[in-house]
Amino acid sequence: MTPDVPAPGGAPALRLTVLIGEQDVWHHRPLYAEIVHRARAAGLAGASVFRGIEGFGAGSVVHTQRLLSLSEELPVAIVVVDAEERVRGFLPQLDELLAGGGLVTLDRCEMIVHRAPDAGGPDGGEGGRG
């Protein structure tokens, strides 16, 4: 199978990953929460936030969750997967939110949605989107 041909049941998609610090804020709200709420309002399929246990950014300062370290500035990754045009349509909002710094990566991927047989919605999912 070639990378450009989706597996049976798969659909081409784009994975958006935003890398920021846990303490980054937007108008007194955690930046990761603002990104998730805006992604939902934009109708994206879903967003997840992952808290890192160790990492460093542009400043090269290592932040860690180790017992003897009390770092509260741990790395955070927000991941969104949806159709390419929907993800790219969301990028201008990230430009605004990340004016203080952050890193965005885009990766082509394949989306295969698995739904429980008894899930709600007309097509077996929650409201028709994964």
Side-chain angles (χ1 to χ4, degrees):
M1 176 180 343
T2 64
D4 294 337
V5 178
L14 199 61
R15 177 179 48 231
L16 163 75
T17 304
V18 182
L19 301 168
I20 58 173
E22 184 178 24
Q23 296 299 313
D24 292 346
V25 295
W26 175 261
H27 296 263
H28 309 290
R29 178 182 198 176
L31 180 56
Y32 60 83
E34 184 67 22
I35 293 170
V36 167
H37 287 271
R38 286 197 187 195
R40 183 171 187 258
L44 294 171
S48 297
V49 179
F50 300 93
R51 183 178 188 231
I53 58 172
E54 187 168 85
F56 70 93
S60 294
V61 176
V62 175
H63 301 281
T64 182
Q65 189 182 15
R66 288 187 225 155
L67 186 60
L68 298 177
S69 173
L70 299 176
S71 176
E72 294 181 359
E73 183 59 5
L74 295 170
V76 172
I78 303 102
V79 178
V80 174
V81 177
D82 206 330
E84 182 171 355
E85 62 274 5
R86 297 176 65 80
V87 170
R88 290 195 182 278
F90 184 64
L91 292 177
Q93 290 197 54
L94 289 179
D95 289 342
E96 175 189 5
L97 293 173
L98 298 176
L103 176 69
V104 175
T105 64
L106 297 170
D107 303 290
R108 293 188 193 286
C109 63
E110 184 177 330
M111 186 167 48
I112 301 172
V113 179
H114 296 272
R115 291 188 171 84
D118 60 346
D123 65 351
E126 293 178 333
R129 295 202 48 99

